[in-house]
C-alpha cells in the first residue's frame, strides 16, 4: 500500500526536490475543472471568462481561494503552478466584470490574496483589463468590495517599474477612462462628511490615491483643487483623530501632492495643513505618525522659501520635535540604535537638513544642544566631555574601536552634512557658552579633523581607522565648511585642530592631494568613483590651502597649474558633475518623482568639481607667491578670460560666480560684469538727461542721473531741505504733490568733501552704473570707505576681501527699484499700451486709471537705439511726455522689466501651466508674439531671441497651441513664428485636419502647415 502511494506522488511531479502534495494536486485538478466551465479561447493563447451562471462563478472563486491558500513560497515558481496563474487572473477579472452582487465581496477578497501572493510576478501577465475592472469597482456602494478592489489596484500600481513606459501609459489610460480619481475623491468626501463607512475604507482609498499621485504628475493638480475645496478646512480635525492611521494617510496624500513644487507652495500658503503637520511631529504622537510628518516636512522644505514660511511661524516647535526625535534612542541601554527606533531617527535627521538654509532656526538648533546630539551619534553616546578632547584623543587606537558604534553607516553622511551646514551658516559673532557646553562642539571639530585626514590618507591607500566609504565626501565637506565658517571661534578652532592632525604627514598629504588631481589634466574622469575622488581631493585641498604652513608647499607641488587646468576644462567643456550624481545619500525616492521644481544643486551649481576648484584657487590666491606665479606665467590672460566667461555665462551656480568674483579682486576687478551693465554704462558722465552734478575737490565734476543713484546708492542724493539747513523729512507722498515739484526736492549739484578721492569717486559711480569696476591697488582703501558710506554693500564686501557668504545670491545690475517709490520723483516719460483689456491701474503717482507705466528716459534709451534716436532727434516726438507702445498691457509690463533689469520675465511652464485653460495659454503667448514683433521694430535683439525661445518651448510642450499662435503671428506679419508653429503642427497634421481643428485657419496658413508636413514626410522617407 505504501509503495502504491509513493508511486502516485512521483507521477504527479516534484517541486523544489520534494514530492507534490496529494491535496494540492487535487485542488489543482478541481481548479482546472472549475475554470474550464467559464474560460473560452478568443484568439491564439488569449482567453476570456464567458459565463454568467452564478453557481459556476461561485465554484470557480472557491476553487481559486482553496488553491491559493494551500500554496507555499517554494511552489510559486513552479511551472506546474505558474501555468495556472494567468487563467486565474482572467477568471477573477471576468467574474468581477459580470457584477454578480452575491459574489463581488468574495471575489474581491480572493483577488487581494492572489495579488499579494504573486508579488512582482503579477507584471508578467497583462494587467490592463484587470486594472480597468478594479478602477470601476472602487466606486462600489458596498464598502467591502470597494476596499478589496482598492487594495488590489494599489498593490498592482505600486509594482509598476519606472522604465516600463508602456505599462504606465496603459494603466493611466484605464484610470482616466473609468474616472478612477473622481471615484476615489467622491468616496473620501463621503467619509469626511459623515457617511458611515469603516476607517479602513478611508485609509485604503487615500493610500490608492497616493500611489496614483506618485506615478502620474498630471493627476496632482486636479486632486489639489479638490482637496483645497473639501479637505483643507477639515485636515486639523482629521489629524487629531484618535485613529492615527487616518492622520498618517492624510500626511501621505499631502506628501504626494507636494511632489509638485507648485502645489508644495500652495500647501504652505494654507495654514491648516502646516499646523496639522507640526502637531503630528510632536513627541506625544505615535512613531508611525511622526515618521510620516517628518517625510511631509522634508517635501515642503526643499526650497529656502518653503523653509522660511514654516520656520517663521512654527520654528520653535519644529526644532524641538526634530531634536527630541534625534535623541530618544539614547534612553535605550543598548549600544546600538534599536531597529524599531531607527526609522524615526533617520527621518528626523533628514528633516534637520533645513539647516542647509540660513535663518534664525540655526540659533534654535544650537539652543537645543545640537552639537551634543551630533557628538553622541557620530562618536559614542557613553563618552563624557567634561574637558576638551584634542585630535590625539581620537587617533588613539583604543578609542577608535569604540567610536561610531552607535550609528548605522547609512545615517552618518547626514550627520556630517548637518555639522557642516550648522557651521557655515553661523553668525560671525556666534559663540556657545563657555565651559562644558562648548566642549561638544570643540570635540566634534577635533573628530572631524581626524576623520578628514584619514580621508586624505584613504585617497593614497594610507592605513586608516576612522572613516568608511559612506562618509568620505560628507566628512571632507564638513571640514571645509568648518574652516569656511563665518564664526571666528569655529574657524579658528578648526584651523588649529587641522594643523595638529596634519603634523605627522602634512607634506606628504599635500603632495598626495595635488597628485590625485593631476589625473583630471591627463585622463578622462567619467566614472562616479573617479569623480568622487577628485571632489574629495579638491575639498581637502581647499581646507588645507587655508593653512599658511602648507600654502607654499601646495604651490611648489604645482597646485596653481593643476587648478587652472581643471577650471579651464570644466568651464569650457560643458562638464556637469553634480553632487547628487556621485553621493547617493543626497537623493531619496521622492526626487525621481518630483515636478515643477529643481532644488538639488543650488548654490554650488551643477558642477561641483568646478566649484571646489574655485574654492581652492580662491584660498591660494591670498598667497603673494601664488599671485606672483600666476602673473608671471603665460596663462594669466587665459585664466582671466576663463574667469570673466564664468561670470558672464549662464548655467553656473551662484557659488561659482561668487568665488570667481572673489578671485578677480586679486587682479583689481570687482563685481559681476553683465551685458546689461555694459549698456547702462553708456550713460555714465553723459550730459543728455543728466540731472545731477557731483563736484569733485579738484574742480572737476561728474554728470550723473538721479534715478540710477536712487536705485543703487540713494545716499548720494542730497535733499534740498538738508542743503538749506531744514530738518524736515525728505519723504513726501507722490499722490499729494505734483511730480515736477517732487523732482526739486533733491539738489542738482552736490559738492563733495575735500577728503573724497576724485578717482575713487569715478570708480564708485562706474560700479553704481554697471555693477563692475577695475581698481588699482592704491585706491582700494579709499574706495572701500566711499562704498561703505554710500551703502554699496556688494562693493564694500568685495573690497573687504572676505570669503563669499555661503548661499548668498549674485548681486546683479538691476534698477527695478526705480519703478517703485525710490524712482518716483524722477519719472520723465509715461508708456501707455496701445491695446488694453479690462485692466485698471491704481497709480500712486497720478490719478489716471488707464493702464500705464511711469519710466525714465535715461534707462530706456540705454538699451534701445530706437528710443535713443527718438528722444534725441529734436523733433516734436522727442519732447512728448507720453508714448503709446503698440503692444498689450501684459507685454508692456514685461518689456519695462527687461529695460530695468536686463531680464525678460518668462512664463512658468509646469503643472499650473499644463492645467491652464487653452485661451489663457494663448493670451500669455500673445504677449511674446507681440514682443517679438516690437523687438524687430525697436532693434531689441535680446528681447526677440528670448520671446522666440518662449514660444518654441510652449509649442514643444503642446503643439495644438500652434493654431492660435499662427493666427496671432500672421496678424503681425511674423512669418518666422508662423513657420515655427507650422513645423510643430506638421507631425499632427492628418489628425488635426480630420478632427476639424484647422478649419479656423485661412488658406495661406494651411499651405504653410502642408508645406511643413511634406518636408517632414520627405525627411522620414530619406
Amino acid at each position: 500500500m505504501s509503495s502504491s502511494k509513493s508511486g502516485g506522488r512521483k507521477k504527479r511531479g516534484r517541486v523544489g526536490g520534494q514530492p507534490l502534495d496529494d491535496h494540492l494536486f487535487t485542488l489543482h485538478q478541481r481548479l482546472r475543472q472549475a475554470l474550464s466551465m467559464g474560460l473560452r479561447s478568443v484568439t491564439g493563447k488569449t482567453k476570456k471568462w464567458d459565463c454568467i451562471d452564478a453557481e459556476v462563478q461561485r465554484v470557480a472563486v472557491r476553487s481559486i481561494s482553496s488553491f491559493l491558500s494551500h500554496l507555499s513560497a517554494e511552489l510559486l515558481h513552479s511551472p506546474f503552478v505558474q501555468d495556472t496563474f494567468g487563467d486565474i487572473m482572467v477568471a477573477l477579472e471576468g467574474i468581477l466584470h459580470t457584477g454578480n452582487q452575491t459574489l463581488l465581496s468574495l471575489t474581491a477578497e480572493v483577488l487581494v490574496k492572489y495579488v499579494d501572493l504573486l508579488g512582482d510576478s503579477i507584471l508578467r501577465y497583462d494587467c490592463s483589463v484587470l486594472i480597468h475592472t478594479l478602477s470601476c469597482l472602487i466606486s462600489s456602494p458596498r464598502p467591502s468590495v470597494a476596499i478589496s478592489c482598492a487594495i488590489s489596484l494599489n498593490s498592482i500600481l505600486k509594482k509598476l517599474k519606472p522604465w516600463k513606459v508602456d505599462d504606465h501609459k496603459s494603466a493611466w489610460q484605464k484610470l482616466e477612462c473609468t474616472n478612477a480619481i473622481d471615484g476615489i475623491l467622491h468616496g473620501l468626501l463621503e467619509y469626511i462628511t459623515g457617511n458611515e463607512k469603516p476607517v479602513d475604507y478611508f485609509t485604503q482609498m487615500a493610500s490608492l490615491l497616493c500611489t496614483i499621485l506618485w506615478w502620474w504628475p498630471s493627476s496632482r493638480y486636479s486632486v489639489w483643487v479638490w482637496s483645497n475645496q473639501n479637505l483643507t478646512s477639515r485636515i486639523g480635525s482629521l489629524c487629531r483623530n484618535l485613529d492615527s492611521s487616518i492622520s498618517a494617510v492624510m500626511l501621505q496624500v499631502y506628501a504626494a501632492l507636494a511632489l509638485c513644487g507648485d502645489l508644495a507652495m500652495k500647501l504652505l500658503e494654507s495654514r491648516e495643513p502646516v499646523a496639522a503637520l507640526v502637531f503630528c511631529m510632536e513627541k506625544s504622537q505615535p512613531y508611525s505618525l511622526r515618521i510620516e510628518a517628518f517625510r511631509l516636512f522634508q517635501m515642503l522644505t526643499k526650497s529656502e522659501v518653503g523653509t522660511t514660511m514654516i520656520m517663521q511661524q512654527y520654528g520653535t516647535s519644529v526644532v524641538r520635535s526634530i531634536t527630541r526625535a534625534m535623541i530618544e534612542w539614547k534612553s535605550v541601554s543598548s549600544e546600538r540604535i534599536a531597529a524599531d527606533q531607527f526609522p524615526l531617527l533617520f527621518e528626523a535627521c533628514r528633516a534637520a537638513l533645513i539647516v542647509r538654509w540660513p535663518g534664525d532656526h540655526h540659533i534654535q538648533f544650537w539652543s537645543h544642544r545640537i552639537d551634543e546630539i551630533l557628538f553622541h551619534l557620530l562618536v559614542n553616546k557613553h563618552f563624557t566631555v567634561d574637558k576638551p578632547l584634542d585630535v590625539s584623543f581620537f587617533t588613539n587606537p583604543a578609542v577608535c574601536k569604540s567610536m561610531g558604534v552607535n550609528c548605522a553607516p547609512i545615517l552618518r553622511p547626514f550627520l556630517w552634512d548637518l555639522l557642516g551646514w550648522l557651521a557655515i551658516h553661523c553668525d560671525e559673532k556666534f559663540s556657545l557658552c563657555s565651559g562644558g557646553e562648548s566642549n561638544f562642539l570643540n570635540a566634534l571639530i577635533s573628530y572631524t579633523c581626524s576623520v578628514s585626514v584619514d580621508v586624505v590618507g584613504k585617497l593614497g591607500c594610507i592605513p586608516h581607522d576612522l572613516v568608511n566609504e559612506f562618509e568620505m565626501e560628507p566628512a571632507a565637506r564638513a571640514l571645509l565648511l568648518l574652516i569656511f565658517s563665518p564664526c571666528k571661534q569655529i574657524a579658528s578652532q578648526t584651523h588649529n585642530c587641522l594643523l595638529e592632525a596634519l603634523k605627522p604627514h602634512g607634506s606628504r598629504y599635500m603632495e598626495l592631494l595635488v597628485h590625485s588631481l593631476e589625473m583630471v589634466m591627463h585622463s578622462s574622469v567619467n566614472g562616479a568613483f573617479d569623480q568622487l575622488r577628485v571632489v574629495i581631493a579638491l575639498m581637502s585641498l581647499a581646507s588645507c590651502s587655508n593653512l599658511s604652513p602648507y600654502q607654499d608647499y601646495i604651490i611648489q607641488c604645482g597646485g596653481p597649474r593643476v587648478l587652472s587646468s581643471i577650471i579651464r576644462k570644466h568651464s569650457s567643456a560643458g562638464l556637469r558633475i553634480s553632487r547628487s550624481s556621485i553621493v547617493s545619500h543626497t537623493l531619496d525616492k521622492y526626487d525621481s518623482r518630483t515636478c515643477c521644481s529643481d532644488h538639488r544643486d543650488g548654490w554650488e551649481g551643477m558642477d561641483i568639481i568646478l566649484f571646489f576648484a574655485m574654492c581652492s584657487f580662491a584660498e591660494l590666491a591670498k598667497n603673494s607667491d601664488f599671485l606672483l606665479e600666476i602673473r608671471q606665467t603665460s596663462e594669466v590672460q587665459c585664466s582671466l578670460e576663463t574667469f570673466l566667461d564664468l561670470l558672464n555665462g549662464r548655467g553656473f551656480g551662484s557659488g561659482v560666480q561668487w568665488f570667481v568674483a572673489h578671485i578677480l579682486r586679486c587682479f583689481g576687478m570687482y563685481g559681476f560684469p553683465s551685458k546689461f551693465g555694459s549698456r547702462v554704462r553708456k550713460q555714465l558722465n553723459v550730459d543728455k538727461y543728466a540731472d545731477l552734478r557731483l563736484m569733485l575737490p579738484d574742480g572737476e565734476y561728474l554728470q550723473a542721473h538721479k534715478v540710477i543713484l536712487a536705485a543703487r546708492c540713494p545716499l548720494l542724493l542730497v535733499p534740498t531741505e538738508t542743503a538749506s539747513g531744514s530738518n524736515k523729512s525728505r519723504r513726501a507722498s507722490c499722490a499729494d504733490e505734483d511730480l515736477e515739484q517732487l523732482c526739486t526736492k533733491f539738489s542738482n549739484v552736490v559738492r563733495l568733501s575735500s577728503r573724497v578721492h576724485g578717482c575713487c569717486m569715478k570708480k564708485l559711480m562706474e560700479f553704481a552704473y554697471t555693477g563692475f569696476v577695475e581698481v588699482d591697488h592704491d585706491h582700494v582703501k579709499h574706495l572701500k570707505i566711499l562704498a561703505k558710506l554710500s551703502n554699496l554693500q556688494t562693493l564694500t564686501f568685495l573690497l573687504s576681501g572676505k570669503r563669499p557668504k555661503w548661499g548668498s545670491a549674485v548681486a546683479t545690475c538691476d534698477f527695478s527699484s526705480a519703478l517703485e517709490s525710490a524712482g518716483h520723483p524722477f519719472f520723465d516719460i509715461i508708456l501707455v499700451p496701445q491695446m488694453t483689456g479690462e485692466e485698471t491701474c491704481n497709480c500712486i503717482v497720478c490719478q489716471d486709471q488707464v493702464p500705464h507705466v511711469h519710466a525714465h528716459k535715461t534707462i530706456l534709451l540705454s538699451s534701445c537705439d530706437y528710443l535713443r534716436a527718438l528722444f534725441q532727434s529734436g523733433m516734436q516726438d522727442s519732447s512728448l511726455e507720453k508714448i503709446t507702445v503698440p503692444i498689450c498691457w501684459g507685454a508692456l509690463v514685461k518689456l519695462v522689466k527687461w529695460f530695468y533689469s536686463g531680464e525678460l520675465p518668462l512664463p512658468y511652464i509646469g503643472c499650473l501651466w499644463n492645467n491652464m485653460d487653452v485661451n489663457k495659454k494663448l493670451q500669455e503667448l500673445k504677449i511674446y508674439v507681440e514682443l517679438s514683433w516690437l523687438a524687430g521694430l525697436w532693434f531689441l535683439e535680446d528681447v526677440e531671441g528670448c520671446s522666440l525661445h518662449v514660444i518654441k518651448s510652449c509649442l514643444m510642450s503642446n503643439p495644438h497651441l500652434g493654431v492660435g499662435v499662427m493666427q496671432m503671428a500672421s496678424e503681425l506679419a511674423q512669418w518666422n513664428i508662423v513657420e515655427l508653429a507650422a513645423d510643430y503642427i506638421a507631425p499632427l497634421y492628418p489628425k488635426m485636419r480630420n478632427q476639424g481643428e484647422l478649419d479656423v485657419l485661412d488658406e495661406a496658413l494651411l499651405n504653410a502647415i502642408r508645406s511643413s508636413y511634406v518636408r517632414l514626410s520627405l525627411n522620414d522617407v530619406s
Side-chain angles (χ1 to χ4, degrees):
M1 183 72 68
S2 177
S3 176
S4 173
K5 289 183 179 180
S6 179
R9 288 196 183 104
K10 289 181 181 179
K11 290 180 182 179
R12 294 167 189 169
R14 302 172 70 84
V15 178
Q18 299 296 324
L20 193 63
D21 184 80
D22 287 334
H23 184 51
L24 180 61
F25 184 81
T26 302
L27 293 175
H28 183 263
Q29 291 295 98
R30 291 176 181 172
L31 174 62
R32 281 293 187 187
Q33 292 173 3
L35 295 179
S36 66
M37 291 187 289
L39 289 177
R40 301 289 182 269
S41 294
V42 183
T43 55
K45 295 183 178 180
T46 305
K47 295 180 180 180
K48 179 182 179 182
W49 183 264
D50 190 23
C51 179
I52 60 174
D53 185 272
E55 188 58 32
V56 173
Q57 292 180 2
R58 180 178 291 104
V59 171
V61 171
R62 288 180 175 176
S63 299
I64 293 171
S65 178
S66 300
F67 180 71
L68 296 178
S69 299
H70 201 74
L71 283 178
S72 62
E74 293 80 8
L75 295 173
L76 288 178
H77 302 291
S78 166
F80 167 80
V81 175
Q82 288 188 349
D83 289 345
T84 315
F85 281 151
D87 291 344
I88 292 176
M89 177 186 289
V90 173
L92 291 175
E93 184 280 324
I95 295 171
L96 286 172
H97 186 70
T98 60
N100 189 332
Q101 296 297 317
T102 60
L103 282 175
L104 273 180
S105 294
L106 177 60
T107 308
E109 290 174 6
V110 172
L111 182 60
V112 172
K113 185 190 302 184
Y114 169 78
V115 173
D116 182 61
L117 189 65
L118 260 68
D120 290 345
S121 301
I122 196 172
L123 298 180
R124 296 177 183 175
Y125 310 98
D126 183 9
C127 299
S128 58
V129 178
L130 181 58
I131 290 174
H132 183 278
T133 302
L134 292 173
S135 299
C136 294
L137 289 174
I138 56 176
S139 301
S140 171
R142 299 172 62 181
S144 60
V145 174
I147 291 172
S148 296
C149 290
I151 293 173
S152 297
L153 181 57
N154 194 16
S155 182
I156 293 172
L157 296 181
K158 281 184 175 180
K159 292 175 174 60
L160 293 175
K161 305 303 179 185
W163 57 88
K164 296 280 189 178
V165 179
D166 291 340
D167 289 351
H168 282 263
K169 186 177 180 180
S170 173
W172 177 242
Q173 288 174 346
K174 300 302 180 184
L175 293 172
E176 274 194 310
C177 71
T178 57
N179 294 318
I181 294 179
D182 291 341
I184 296 171
L185 297 180
H186 180 73
L188 293 176
L189 184 60
E190 281 189 337
Y191 180 90
I192 294 170
T193 52
N195 193 315
E196 292 186 3
K197 291 186 177 180
V199 171
D200 200 31
Y201 176 87
F202 182 86
T203 56
Q204 294 301 336
M205 287 294 175
S207 179
L208 173 59
L209 181 62
C210 289
T211 303
I212 295 174
L213 294 172
W214 171 270
W215 282 125
W216 294 284
S218 57
S219 66
R220 294 167 188 166
Y221 186 82
S222 59
V223 174
W224 157 254
V225 172
W226 176 88
S227 66
N228 197 40
Q229 295 173 349
N230 301 291
L231 192 58
T232 300
S233 60
R234 300 179 174 93
I235 181 65
S237 59
L238 285 172
C239 285
R240 287 170 173 79
N241 193 292
L242 294 177
D243 192 329
S244 62
S245 63
I246 293 180
S247 306
V249 78
M250 283 310 309
L251 294 176
Q252 290 172 5
V253 169
Y254 278 120
L257 288 172
L259 290 168
C260 171
D262 293 341
L263 300 184
M265 292 306 300
K266 289 188 174 295
L267 279 172
L268 289 165
E269 293 166 2
S270 304
R271 295 184 179 182
E272 290 83 358
V274 178
L277 162 69
V278 175
F279 172 78
C280 293
M281 292 170 66
E282 294 179 359
K283 185 179 180 180
S284 59
Q285 302 301 317
Y287 263 40
S288 59
L289 185 58
R290 294 168 70 189
I291 290 171
E292 295 301 336
F294 283 135
R295 287 173 178 165
L296 173 56
F297 180 79
Q298 294 166 39
M299 297 300 302
L300 296 178
T301 54
K302 283 184 174 290
S303 68
E304 184 175 356
V305 175
T307 302
T308 302
M309 292 176 69
I310 292 181
M311 300 308 289
Q312 281 181 343
Q313 189 169 4
Y314 300 103
T316 302
S317 299
V318 167
V319 173
R320 181 177 62 246
S321 297
I322 292 174
T323 51
R324 283 180 175 176
M326 291 176 68
I327 206 169
E328 284 179 29
W329 66 277
K330 281 189 64 181
S331 60
V332 181
S333 59
S334 172
E335 284 286 338
R336 297 183 179 275
I337 299 169
D340 60 338
Q341 290 183 320
F342 182 78
L344 178 65
L345 174 60
F346 181 78
E347 299 300 340
C349 288
R350 291 186 65 92
L353 288 174
I354 55 170
V355 296
R356 67 187 180 276
W357 309 116
D360 293 339
H361 54 282
H362 282 260
I363 299 174
Q364 295 169 338
F365 271 101
W366 287 113
S367 66
H368 281 79
R369 307 185 71 167
I370 187 65
D371 53 330
E372 181 178 351
I373 295 173
L374 291 177
F375 179 83
H376 287 142
L377 281 168
L378 277 170
V379 186
N380 192 308
K381 73 173 184 178
H382 297 300
F383 280 4
T384 57
V385 187
D386 51 0
K387 62 179 181 179
L389 302 179
D390 57 17
V391 172
S392 60
F393 173 82
F394 294 103
T395 55
N396 186 315
V399 175
C400 288
K401 293 180 180 179
S402 60
M403 286 192 294
V405 296
N406 305 317
C407 187
I410 194 174
L411 188 62
R412 293 178 67 83
F414 299 103
L415 303 176
W416 287 118
D417 280 356
L418 287 174
L419 177 60
W421 292 125
L422 286 164
I424 201 64
H425 289 304
C426 269
D427 186 76
E428 187 173 345
K429 298 180 181 179
F430 169 82
S431 176
L432 288 176
C433 299
S434 59
E437 292 190 14
S438 63
N439 284 342
F440 284 106
L441 176 58
N442 293 334
L444 276 173
I445 292 173
S446 297
Y447 181 58
T448 304
C449 291
S450 302
V451 170
S452 299
V453 170
D454 266 11
V455 168
V456 177
K458 190 167 186 179
L459 290 177
C461 299
I462 298 174
H464 59 281
D465 300 306
L466 298 178
V467 65
N468 59 53
E469 296 287 346
F470 290 101
E471 54 185 317
M472 287 179 64
E473 189 271 352
R477 172 184 288 265
L479 174 65
L480 179 63
L481 298 188
L482 286 165
I483 284 279
F484 280 17
S485 175
C487 173
K488 295 180 179 179
Q489 175 188 343
I490 293 177
S492 176
Q493 178 71 11
T494 309
H495 181 279
N496 296 333
C497 286
L498 184 56
L499 281 176
E500 181 184 351
L502 286 169
K503 276 181 181 178
H505 309 288
S507 299
R508 183 184 176 189
Y509 280 174
M510 298 308 107
E511 184 179 353
L512 174 63
L513 288 174
V514 176
H515 177 72
S516 298
L517 292 173
E518 288 199 76
M519 68 177 181
V520 181
M521 299 167 51
H522 304 299
S523 62
S524 177
V525 182
N526 296 319
F529 178 73
D530 289 338
Q531 294 167 357
L532 179 62
R533 286 173 60 88
V534 172
V535 170
I536 293 172
L538 283 170
M539 287 191 292
S540 302
L541 186 65
S543 299
C544 296
S545 297
N546 184 263
L547 309 177
S548 299
Y550 294 106
Q551 283 183 350
D552 292 338
Y553 197 83
I554 294 172
I555 295 171
Q556 294 170 11
C557 292
R561 173 180 51 81
V562 173
L563 291 173
S564 297
S565 176
I566 294 173
I567 291 170
R568 282 198 302 273
K569 180 177 180 179
H570 280 257
S571 61
S572 61
L575 299 175
R576 294 292 183 268
I577 301 171
S578 62
R579 188 187 186 202
S580 55
S581 67
I582 60 174
V583 184
S584 59
H585 80 276
T586 59
L587 290 174
D588 57 35
K589 64 179 183 178
Y590 302 105
D591 288 326
S592 62
R593 308 310 309 169
T594 55
C595 64
C596 308
S597 61
D598 185 15
H599 309 300
R600 276 207 300 263
D601 299 301
W603 197 68
E604 297 168 17
M606 290 296 292
D607 189 356
I608 56 172
I609 289 184
L610 176 62
F611 174 79
F612 288 115
M614 284 295 179
C615 292
S616 301
F617 198 100
E619 290 302 301
L620 290 174
K622 299 174 183 178
N623 187 290
S624 57
D625 293 337
F626 176 84
L627 290 178
L628 182 63
E629 179 175 338
I630 288 292
R631 287 170 177 159
Q632 288 179 347
T633 62
S634 58
E635 296 181 348
V636 62
Q637 189 62 34
C638 184
S639 297
L640 287 176
E641 291 175 358
T642 300
F643 292 147
L644 291 172
D645 287 343
L646 286 170
L647 281 182
N648 287 309
R650 296 181 180 273
F652 300 105
S654 299
V656 171
Q657 293 186 303
W658 262 111
F659 275 102
V660 170
H662 186 61
I663 293 168
L664 286 177
R665 57 174 288 278
C666 300
F667 300 93
M669 301 178 187
Y670 298 85
F672 301 89
S674 65
K675 191 175 181 180
F676 176 60
S678 299
R679 293 199 298 261
V680 178
R681 192 184 191 283
K682 300 174 184 176
Q683 299 304 109
L684 181 60
N685 212 22
V686 175
D687 288 343
K688 191 67 175 178
Y689 299 112
D691 52 3
L692 177 65
R693 180 173 290 189
L694 299 174
M695 303 299 297
L696 301 178
D698 59 0
E700 190 179 358
Y701 64 86
L702 298 175
Q703 297 284 8
H705 304 82
K706 292 179 183 178
V707 60
I708 290 180
L709 296 184
R712 299 284 285 169
C713 47
L715 292 180
L716 288 178
L717 297 176
V718 180
T720 53
E721 293 93 332
T722 302
S724 62
S726 173
N727 292 323
K728 294 181 181 180
S729 172
R730 61 183 289 184
R731 298 183 178 274
S733 171
C734 295
D736 297 334
E737 300 186 40
D738 185 76
L739 186 61
E740 185 176 346
Q741 292 177 338
L742 282 173
C743 289
T744 63
K745 281 188 168 293
F746 296 94
S747 177
N748 295 328
V749 179
V750 176
R751 297 185 181 277
L752 301 176
S753 167
S754 59
R755 291 175 293 179
V756 175
H757 196 289
C759 181
C760 291
M761 192 64 203
K762 294 178 182 178
K763 294 296 182 182
L764 182 79
M765 295 298 294
E766 184 178 349
F767 186 87
Y769 274 66
T770 68
F772 181 76
V773 68
E774 296 187 38
V775 184
D776 292 338
H777 179 71
D778 296 339
H779 295 153
V780 169
K781 183 177 180 181
H782 296 287
L783 182 57
K784 180 180 176 183
I785 296 172
L786 275 179
K788 187 174 183 179
L789 292 174
S790 304
N791 200 31
L792 274 172
Q793 296 179 2
T794 302
L795 182 58
T796 303
F797 183 84
L798 289 169
L799 289 167
S800 71
K802 292 182 179 179
R803 191 182 290 115
K805 185 177 180 181
W806 209 277
S808 55
V810 171
T812 57
C813 186
D814 192 337
F815 303 101
S816 297
S817 60
L819 293 169
E820 301 171 358
S821 58
H824 287 174
F826 317 113
F827 291 138
D828 54 6
I829 191 71
I830 298 175
L831 303 178
V832 181
Q834 187 175 51
M835 296 160 279
T836 58
E838 300 179 355
E839 302 94 349
T840 58
C841 181
N842 297 319
C843 183
I844 65 172
V845 178
C846 65
Q847 303 301 319
D848 193 353
Q849 294 187 350
V850 176
H852 64 279
V853 177
H854 291 273
H856 311 86
K857 289 182 179 180
T858 188
I859 291 181
L860 297 180
L861 61 84
S862 67
S863 296
C864 180
D865 292 337
Y866 172 85
L867 292 178
R868 179 187 295 275
L870 176 66
F871 294 151
Q872 297 180 356
S873 65
M875 300 175 66
Q876 184 178 359
D877 289 348
S878 64
S879 58
L880 290 175
E881 295 182 357
K882 183 180 293 187
I883 294 178
T884 299
V885 185
I887 53 177
C888 67
W889 171 240
L892 179 60
V893 170
K894 293 182 185 295
L895 179 64
V896 170
K897 179 64 177 177
W898 178 82
F899 274 124
Y900 281 76
S901 67
E903 298 288 339
L904 188 69
L906 305 178
Y908 183 75
I909 299 180
C911 286
L912 297 182
W913 170 268
N914 294 335
N915 288 275
M916 189 185 295
D917 180 74
V918 172
N919 291 330
K920 289 183 178 180
K921 289 181 181 179
L922 289 174
Q923 199 65 30
E924 184 72 15
L925 283 175
K926 181 182 178 182
I927 291 174
Y928 294 95
V929 173
E930 291 183 3
L931 285 173
S932 177
W933 169 76
L934 182 70
L937 295 178
W938 284 14
F939 311 108
L940 305 175
E941 294 181 4
D942 289 350
V943 173
E944 184 175 18
C946 191
S947 299
L948 289 175
H949 176 73
V950 169
I951 295 170
K952 184 177 180 180
S953 298
C954 294
L955 290 174
M956 188 181 299
S957 66
N958 186 0
H960 293 271
L961 295 173
V963 175
V965 170
M966 291 183 75
Q967 291 177 301
M968 294 184 293
S970 64
E971 292 174 1
L972 296 173
Q974 291 289 285
W975 305 116
N976 57 334
I977 297 179
V978 170
E979 291 180 5
L980 177 66
D983 288 340
Y984 279 98
I985 294 176
L988 304 175
Y989 171 62
K991 181 179 178 181
M992 294 178 68
R993 179 195 57 199
N994 295 337
Q995 292 178 347
E997 293 184 54
L998 306 179
D999 294 347
V1000 295
L1001 300 178
D1002 59 34
E1003 194 63 27
L1005 298 182
L1006 286 172
N1007 285 335
I1009 297 175
R1010 293 185 190 113
S1011 298
S1012 295
Y1013 178 70
V1014 171
R1015 287 195 300 270
L1016 180 65
S1017 301
L1018 292 175
N1019 290 334
D1020 290 342
V1021 171
S1022 60

